Amino acid sequence: MEAVDPTIYRFAIFVLAIFVGYYVVWSVTPALHTPLMAVTNAISSVIIVGALIAAATGLPAGAGPGAPILTHAWIAKGAGALATGLAAVNIFGGFLVTQRMLAMYKKKDAKK
């Protein structure tokens, strides 16, 4: 019996997580939306710290030009910068959506 390729195994878990996430997010009632957005913003803030650390990756001591480690450092820097940008969009978008949700519960002023 042959073992399943780890890449296929991880891809299957990723696809299942997409379906579960989709159904969990769309089944949330509007009353719970604002607290969940606050938690999502907190998680994104942790992600942004890790992304900034990845983007600040430097070369190891003694690595000369053209070393294979140089390519990996640039990949880490690029992935960290991309993750920082995407997490920032998620955080600011979450704040905008939360403000909009809270504005729906405010009493409107009577027109004079």
Side-chain angles (χ1 to χ4, degrees), residues 3 25 27 29 31-32 37 46-47 59-60 70 81-82 96 104 108:
V25 168
S27 64
T29 61
L32 292 176
M37 285 303 296
V46 171
I47 291 170
L59 292 175
L70 181 64
L82 179 67
L96 292 176
M104 290 178 8
K108 296 182 180 179

Side-chain angles (χ1 to χ4, degrees), residues 59-60 63-77:
L59 292 175
I69 197 75
L70 181 64
T71 304
H72 297 299
W74 282 109
I75 290 172
K77 285 180 176 289

Side-chain angles (χ1 to χ4, degrees), residues 34 97-106:
T34 302
V97 169
T98 302
Q99 290 298 323
R100 188 171 180 181
M101 286 288 291
L102 291 174
M104 290 178 8
Y105 293 107
K106 288 183 181 177

Side-chain angles (χ1 to χ4, degrees), residues 41 44-45 47-49 51-52 80-96:
N41 285 340
S44 290
S45 66
I47 291 170
I48 215 163
V49 170
L52 287 171
L82 179 67
T84 302
L86 292 175
V89 167
N90 190 25
I91 290 171
F92 294 122
F95 283 126
L96 292 176

Side-chain angles (χ1 to χ4, degrees), residues 7-56:
T7 305
I8 299 298
Y9 183 71
R10 290 179 186 129
F11 182 71
I13 292 173
F14 178 70
V15 170
L16 288 173
I18 289 172
F19 283 113
V20 169
Y22 175 81
Y23 285 110
V24 166
V25 168
W26 286 109
S27 64
V28 171
T29 61
L32 292 176
H33 186 269
T34 302
L36 287 177
M37 285 303 296
V39 171
T40 303
N41 285 340
I43 291 169
S44 290
S45 66
V46 171
I47 291 170
I48 215 163
V49 170
L52 287 171
I53 291 170

